Amino acid sequence: MLRMASSFPEEVLEHVFSFIYDDKDRNAISMVCKSWYEIERWCRRRIFVGNCYAVSPPMVIRRFPEVRSVELKGKPHFADFNLVPEGWGGYVYPWIAAMATAYPWLEEIRLKRMVVTDEALELIAKSFKNFKVLVLSSCEGFSTDGLAAIAANCRNLKELDLRESEVDDLSGHWLSHFPDSYTSLVSLNISCLGSEVSFSALERLVGRCPNLRTLRLNRAVPLDRLANILCRAPQLVELGTGTYSAELQPDVFSSLAGAFSGCKELRSLSGFWDAVPGYLPAIYPICPSLTSLNLSYATIRSTDLTKLVSQCQSLQRLWVLDYIEDIGLEALAAFCKDLRELRVFPSEPFAQEPNVSLTEQGLVSVSEGCPKLHSVLYFCRQMTNDALATIARNRPNMTRFRLCIIEPRAPDYITLQPLDDGFGAIVEHCKDLQRLSMAGLLTDRVFEHIGNHAKKLEMLSVAFAGDSDLGLHHVLSGCENLRKLEIRDCPFGDKALLVNAAKLETMRSLWMSSCSVSFGACKLLGQKIPRLNVEVMDERGPPGSRPESCPVEKLYIYRTVAGPRFDMPGFVWTMDEDSALRLS
Amino acid sequence: MSIPKEHDYIGLSENSPMERISDKLSSSSSSSSTLSTEENSNINKNSLNLKETELRLGLPGSQSPERKPLPGVSLFGKDIDTNTNGYSLSPLKNLVSGAKRGFSDAIDGSSGKWVFSVNNGSDAGLNKGAVLFSPRGDNGNTQKSSVCGPAKKEVVGVITQSPKPVQEKNSQVSGANENNNAPASKAQVVGWPPIRSFRKNTMASNLTKNNEEAEGKSGFGCLYVKVSMDGAPYLRKVDLKTYTNYVELSSALEKMFSCFTIGQCGSHGFPGRDGLSETCLKDLLHGSEYVLTYEDKDGDWMLVGDVPWEMFTDSCRRLRIMKGSEAIGLAPRAMEKCKNRN
């Protein structure tokens, strides 16, 4: 053994390791032996922390001293739907502060659902001389002042992507802070910003960056400026338009159409806010080569949508509103044989009656016609077990299936039965299913199916479902690869959790809100399992002021090696050994 | 619900977990339903007290219609009698022993449940948007009727323990509407359907652009704005569309931020039962008057309550609960500005 180890000099091993990028593979390498652990940790360049509270910055820095790229995720997924109150946490500043001294050569920071302040952005701007990539996905807490600091100081910046972040939009001036000497922009996504940036500054920026391949504009960029921008960047691969509405004028149309035709590399389109059908033909010339189309903010109707998608034979990803209707989805199934991902969003989710003719049939058609379809997000108002079973049989290659029926607990609208068997068919046929969100009327039986069949399932989202703790027990005991479980408004209580407590340490996190988990059970979990943080969120006041049997409002349990956190707001309590003493 | 032999549940039990689960289930449902009736009756007992002594925000010149006028200091000072133009908001009653009594009662009197809103009358509007109902079904029983009785609507996020069966169709939602004054729009469950705020806000502004009338709001009915309170460590967010008038908004904000103001009275957490100390009281009377203001589309800070409710929701971008001492100059200027506009 010793001879083997010494026969490969470190440099050779390091060189071999440099071809391994995947985190799981890297983790596996580091477990082979101590010397491989040491070599690997010195040459790991990229780390991914799926829950920023699972580990602390000093721990990461101690183990991996030469990191160039960091990805962090903060708040639980249900924060997207306002279920996590403001102030919960997910602050990135402590990480930036620690990395500012430890990783002076850091190049990339990718954050999701974290609170990013202007101070953090300013610290990034001045600490990392070779900073290249900043992606802020669904983040909040910063303003355009912070962006100005990034623009002004990061000379080697290649990527600035603010996708769906909530930015305090003080003005559009920040864009003008990119110096005239700055030419390295490759990707810019400002689609979430409300205010107008200076169009001339934008045009000059686009014009002087020859490597620009992704440009997602915000709604404030008017349609008549789009042609100019496109003409300066004919090499663009991905474009997000601004508002796609203007009075129909032949000269505006023809210059737009000409500009689009000039972009031979364009493969992905998005934006289309306020789209008017009259200007859609401007993109027809490039439709055949499009692989990704995001029309989910375009309020155009099914006739125009159908006409459009019928020309996109290379389409792999489509995001669209339910205006497409069943008829448009049938066209999609007929013409877009390379489709892999479909997302259909509701145009009027709070309306009492359906406003469009989009039913389960549309999804069935696509599942029949598109053999490569494996990722679905579908909002609709009715579903049947038969349709689900058909989809399952058609698409055993499904890996992500998220269905949302607008009305909670809606049964099979024909048989009035629960949708247990339909989802049962999904998990039975789709053996590689990694992610599942369920909808409609569901009893404990569906969880039994999931526990029995969904062996590759990693993330499950459940709402208004189940009858008893048995349901939760089936999932926790049966789904071997489960990493993230999020539950709301289900009658799950203490028993399933306590019986399966050990399982929780094998998962990234568990969220339960408006369920029936008692304070006593939370305390118990927190005390007994030291490497779990059991966080109780309750806006009614300290859980200790109510009986132990009283259910908690929200519960977030995650595994961690960093111990309880100390940045919690007043309505979050960690259940651990100390807190048990304090609160009793 | 009791959990005997708790330690056995942590993966060490030798019995089949399933058996123990089903055994425990039947015993727990019966015990939990008795608990809920106790809690509910306690809530009703306390409801009157809390109503009288609730902390509220208000504009100068407005009187809460439900309250009897109490002797004591009005925290808005002298302006109270002069302004009669504004839409009515409940005045900020003195934080003195009244409010405190309410809190101690809430904690000690009932089984410990500290409820947000207790009265059914003026909070009908709150129910519209603030409901998180979570009916629980008995095993396999999926037939019967609505869970949303009035007593259960009142608290956001509190689980009612009585095992009412799950409802199949829509009437659970229309049940919630029965007590509302609001028209056709549904009682919205928080975070449902699961659509991101960015999308909701974008689509909402699409619809208001397309429809001249307020009718456009039936599509994407939500308008989250940030609410800050001077001195509070963190901000909150409220959905303006869940309220139909200023009264509802102010009572919701009072509840949301009451923990901060009460916290200032005592040393840690909850104040003692004896009453506020003298120094505390002085602070409240002289420095801590609160005024509700908002930032409008132009970026100006305005006093809440001057304009019709719909106009307010159209133009409000964020809310701020300002300390009265800072707001002294605000009211006259804001009034002037309104006059200039009109």
Side-chain angles (χ1 to χ4, degrees):
Chain A
M1 204 68 95
L2 276 173
R3 199 176 288 236
M4 273 283 276
S6 61
S7 64
F8 280 111
E10 266 189 37
E11 297 80 29
V12 174
L13 279 173
E14 208 178 300
H15 183 70
V16 171
F17 294 170
S18 70
F19 294 102
I20 317 280
Y21 302 111
D22 183 66
D23 284 331
K24 291 195 188 107
D25 294 337
R26 280 262 173 177
N27 291 344
I29 289 173
S30 66
M31 307 259 276
V32 167
C33 63
K34 279 194 182 151
S35 68
W36 281 36
Y37 177 94
E38 277 300 308
I39 297 168
E40 193 281 320
R41 78 181 187 90
W42 279 94
C43 68
R44 190 172 315 201
R45 295 283 175 262
R46 221 173 45 181
I47 49 168
F48 168 75
V49 181
N51 172 7
C52 63
Y53 290 118
V55 71
S56 71
M59 282 171 163
V60 172
I61 291 168
R62 199 162 41 233
R63 179 170 171 190
F64 300 113
E66 297 279 344
V67 164
R68 299 274 184 275
S69 160
V70 169
E71 184 174 347
L72 301 174
K73 292 189 180 180
K75 299 185 202 174
H77 173 236
F78 274 176
D80 285 352
F81 315 128
N82 295 309
L83 287 179
V84 177
E86 296 270 310
W88 174 84
Y91 305 106
V92 81
Y93 191 83
W95 287 85
I96 308 292
M99 295 191 300
T101 38
Y103 299 147
W105 298 112
L106 190 69
E107 294 177 5
E108 306 181 351
I109 295 178
R110 293 178 169 83
L111 306 175
K112 188 164 186 180
R113 286 191 208 98
M114 294 199 75
V115 177
V116 182
T117 56
D118 285 345
E119 288 73 33
L121 291 175
E122 281 153 22
L123 191 55
I124 291 174
K126 69 176 192 225
S127 309
F128 308 116
K129 297 296 168 224
N130 203 23
F131 195 66
K132 294 190 174 137
V133 172
L134 183 63
V135 177
L136 302 177
S137 176
S138 302
C139 295
E140 56 165 357
F142 61 101
S143 77
T144 41
D145 285 350
L147 296 178
I150 297 282
N153 295 300
C154 299
R155 312 242 173 103
N156 296 313
L157 190 71
K158 287 162 93 166
E159 198 173 320
L160 178 61
D161 186 339
L162 305 176
R163 52 179 91 151
E164 296 195 333
S165 289
E166 225 177 275
V167 185
D168 201 356
D169 222 331
L170 302 173
S171 83
H173 283 312
W174 68 272
L175 191 79
S176 315
H177 285 251
F178 282 111
D180 289 336
S181 54
Y182 169 74
T183 59
S184 42
L185 193 63
V186 173
S187 169
L188 180 66
N189 180 352
I190 55 170
S191 53
C192 62
L193 293 181
S195 59
E196 236 177 57
V197 295
S198 151
F199 301 134
S200 54
L202 180 61
E203 282 170 25
R204 276 181 284 119
L205 178 65
V206 167
R208 68 176 183 268
C209 294
N211 298 320
L212 188 67
R213 62 191 293 287
T214 300
L215 181 63
R216 308 266 188 209
L217 301 169
N218 63 341
R219 197 177 191 172
V221 177
L223 191 55
D224 53 16
R225 309 278 324 210
L226 188 57
N228 277 349
I229 294 174
L230 285 180
C231 288
R232 285 164 202 249
Q235 77 283 3
L236 270 184
V237 176
E238 301 181 324
L239 171 73
T241 72
T243 182
Y244 206 76
S245 164
E247 270 182 37
L248 283 172
Q249 287 167 333
D251 52 341
V252 174
F253 180 88
S254 57
S255 50
L256 188 61
F260 270 118
S261 309
C263 295
K264 307 279 184 222
E265 312 296 318
L266 210 45
R267 296 287 173 271
S268 166
L269 281 182
S270 64
F272 294 105
W273 284 286
D274 323 303
V276 292
Y279 277 103
L280 286 180
I283 65 167
Y284 286 174
I286 51 162
C287 279
S289 46
L290 284 181
T291 57
S292 169
L293 189 52
N294 181 354
L295 295 167
S296 62
Y297 294 106
T299 47
I300 45 184
R301 302 290 164 148
S302 75
T303 326
D304 298 299
L305 280 171
T306 304
K307 208 162 160 197
L308 189 53
V309 301
S310 310
Q311 302 181 57
C312 302
Q313 297 90 359
S314 313
L315 203 59
Q316 297 179 13
R317 179 195 301 150
L318 177 65
W319 292 20
V320 72
L321 285 172
D322 55 10
Y323 289 133
I324 194 170
E325 298 188 321
D326 287 345
I327 191 167
L329 291 177
E330 276 158 32
L332 187 67
F335 291 102
C336 306
K337 294 303 186 185
D338 212 18
L339 193 72
R340 300 168 198 210
E341 178 183 328
L342 174 66
R343 295 195 191 189
V344 179
F345 296 95
S347 51
E348 286 184 29
F350 301 112
Q352 296 273 30
E353 296 301 318
N355 57 322
V356 290
S357 173
L358 179 103
T359 69
E360 76 280 11
Q361 193 44 51
L363 186 56
V364 171
S365 309
V366 182
S367 76
E368 270 162 15
C370 302
K372 296 194 191 163
L373 182 72
H374 68 86
S375 172
V376 167
L377 169 63
Y378 199 74
F379 282 81
C380 59
R381 290 194 139 94
Q382 63 185 48
M383 187 50 63
T384 64
N385 282 309
D386 274 348
L388 285 172
T390 306
I391 293 165
R393 281 191 307 270
N394 287 340
R395 295 274 63 79
N397 52 325
M398 190 74 71
T399 57
R400 306 171 113 74
F401 189 74
R402 293 194 278 162
L403 183 72
C404 178
I405 304 175
I406 302 279
E407 188 60 42
R409 297 195 193 82
D412 179 319
Y413 75 97
I414 294 181
T415 67
L416 298 182
Q417 291 300 304
L419 291 174
D420 297 337
D421 290 336
F423 281 104
I426 295 275
V427 293
E428 210 178 307
H429 290 271
C430 308
K431 304 218 186 296
D432 291 323
L433 194 69
Q434 286 176 354
R435 184 168 178 183
L436 178 66
S437 293
M438 302 194 291
L441 183 63
L442 297 163
T443 72
D444 282 346
R445 275 188 55 226
V446 75
F447 297 107
E448 197 180 339
H449 293 315
I450 292 174
N452 287 338
H453 295 283
K455 296 304 180 185
K456 297 274 181 70
L457 192 67
E458 296 181 10
M459 181 168 179
L460 178 65
S461 308
V462 184
F464 305 106
D467 313 308
S468 74
D469 272 52
L470 263 172
L472 180 57
H473 175 69
H474 284 306
V475 171
L476 288 177
S477 57
C479 297
E480 290 149 10
N481 281 297
L482 194 65
R483 291 189 300 116
K484 289 180 276 184
L485 179 57
E486 45 187 28
I487 299 172
R488 63 164 294 179
D489 293 274
C490 295
F492 299 144
D494 300 342
K495 291 161 204 62
L497 264 191
L498 292 174
V499 165
N500 293 288
K503 170 77 174 170
L504 298 176
E505 253 192 331
T506 68
M507 293 165 53
R508 182 189 294 175
S509 66
L510 166 67
W511 167 280
M512 291 179 75
S513 59
S514 305
C515 297
S516 307
V517 181
S518 73
F519 172 51
C522 294
K523 275 205 297 186
L524 196 60
L525 273 174
Q527 285 165 15
K528 295 292 181 189
I529 315 221
R531 286 193 305 195
L532 281 186
N533 274 358
V534 177
E535 289 185 11
V536 168
M537 266 173 261
D538 214 312
E539 295 190 88
R540 298 170 291 178
S545 61
R546 293 178 290 280
E548 293 229 339
S549 54
C550 192
V552 299
E553 271 178 5
K554 299 174 187 180
L555 175 63
Y556 185 51
I557 301 178
Y558 55 91
R559 67 176 174 187
T560 177
V561 291
R565 59 184 178 114
F566 298 107
D567 60 358
M568 298 177 298
F571 52 85
V572 179
W573 291 268
T574 301
M575 309 283 112
D576 56 13
E577 284 135 11
D578 300 328
S579 72
L581 293 171
R582 266 186 275 122
L583 290 165
S584 57
Chain B
M1 143 177 102
S2 58
I3 313 173
K5 297 189 199 164
E6 293 160 346
H7 55 278
D8 285 347
Y9 282 105
I10 314 295
L12 299 175
S13 97
E14 284 165 18
N15 305 347
S16 152
M18 306 276 262
E19 283 171 40
R20 302 181 70 148
I21 286 173
S22 28
D23 282 348
K24 291 300 168 193
L25 269 175
S26 36
S27 62
S28 78
S29 353
S30 46
S31 61
S32 47
S33 49
T34 22
L35 182 63
S36 74
T37 42
E38 275 172 30
E39 289 174 356
N40 282 340
S41 62
N42 281 330
I43 289 168
N44 291 332
K45 263 188 248 159
N46 287 325
S47 62
L48 289 172
N49 289 342
L50 280 175
K51 192 167 151 184
E52 290 299 322
T53 58
E54 259 172 18
L55 170 63
R56 297 197 188 189
L57 292 170
L59 277 189
S62 48
Q63 294 284 335
S64 165
E66 304 101 347
R67 292 196 200 262
K68 301 179 229 129
L70 285 181
V73 186
S74 156
L75 292 186
F76 278 101
K78 311 283 187 295
D79 299 341
I80 262 200
D81 299 320
T82 54
N83 183 355
T84 49
N85 294 341
Y87 286 72
S88 74
L89 270 183
S90 351
L92 188 57
K93 281 299 179 188
N94 45 65
L95 292 177
V96 195
S97 46
K100 263 187 20 68
R101 235 188 284 127
F103 270 100
S104 330
D105 277 340
I107 296 156
D108 302 323
S110 73
S111 54
K113 190 182 278 191
W114 184 6
V115 297
F116 275 128
S117 95
V118 175
N119 32 19
N120 294 322
S122 66
D123 292 304
L126 262 184
N127 296 331
K128 201 153 60 93
V131 173
L132 244 192
F133 51 88
S134 44
R136 293 164 62 218
D138 290 330
N139 292 349
N141 182 357
T142 53
Q143 296 315 318
K144 296 236 231 98
S145 60
S146 162
V147 179
C148 280
K152 287 160 196 73
K153 273 189 290 183
E154 56 208 13
V155 184
V156 175
V158 169
I159 307 308
T160 56
Q161 300 258 17
S162 45
K164 291 247 168 87
V166 167
Q167 154 126 52
E168 294 181 278
K169 290 258 174 184
N170 300 0
S171 46
Q172 62 199 354
V173 174
S174 43
N177 276 335
E178 277 157 20
N179 292 350
N180 284 346
N181 316 325
S185 65
K186 275 183 182 186
Q188 289 175 24
V189 179
V190 174
W192 191 266
I195 300 169
R196 289 189 177 179
S197 318
F198 180 71
R199 178 169 296 282
K200 274 199 269 205
N201 292 340
T202 306
M203 298 303 289
S205 61
N206 270 352
L207 287 163
T208 47
K209 272 186 191 178
N210 295 338
N211 306 337
E212 297 295 333
E213 296 285 284
E215 184 204 343
K217 292 169 190 174
S218 66
F220 263 78
C222 104
L223 190 61
Y224 275 94
V225 296
K226 288 187 183 175
V227 188
S228 61
M229 174 162 165
D230 293 351
Y234 48 86
L235 280 62
R236 303 302 306 269
K237 263 196 177 151
V238 292
D239 179 359
L240 291 181
K241 295 244 191 291
T242 62
Y243 314 114
T244 52
N245 56 49
Y246 287 112
V247 176
E248 291 168 16
L249 173 64
S250 71
S251 53
L253 290 177
E254 286 159 30
K255 274 145 206 145
M256 218 181 245
F257 286 94
S258 59
C259 58
F260 297 124
T261 33
I262 295 298
Q264 287 164 22
C265 303
S267 44
H268 297 293
F270 308 102
R273 305 192 72 170
D274 319 84
L276 287 172
S277 66
E278 242 184 79
T279 42
C280 263
L281 182 55
K282 275 196 200 134
D283 287 337
L284 291 166
L285 296 182
H286 297 294
S288 315
E289 312 169 357
Y290 287 99
V291 176
L292 185 58
T293 63
Y294 71 101
E295 184 185 15
D296 72 359
K297 281 185 181 149
D298 300 329
D300 299 314
W301 286 95
M302 316 285 292
L303 206 57
V304 166
D306 293 333
V307 299
W309 174 256
E310 280 75 22
M311 197 183 294
F312 164 69
T313 52
D314 257 344
S315 55
C316 171
R317 280 201 345 199
R318 58 193 298 175
L319 289 161
R320 179 174 162 203
I321 305 173
M322 239 183 227
K323 287 210 166 138
S325 43
E326 273 188 54
I328 296 296
L330 177 69
R333 263 186 267 139
M335 293 297 285
E336 245 174 79
K337 185 172 174 149
C338 282
K339 282 182 207 147
N340 290 341
R341 278 226 195 105
N342 305 333

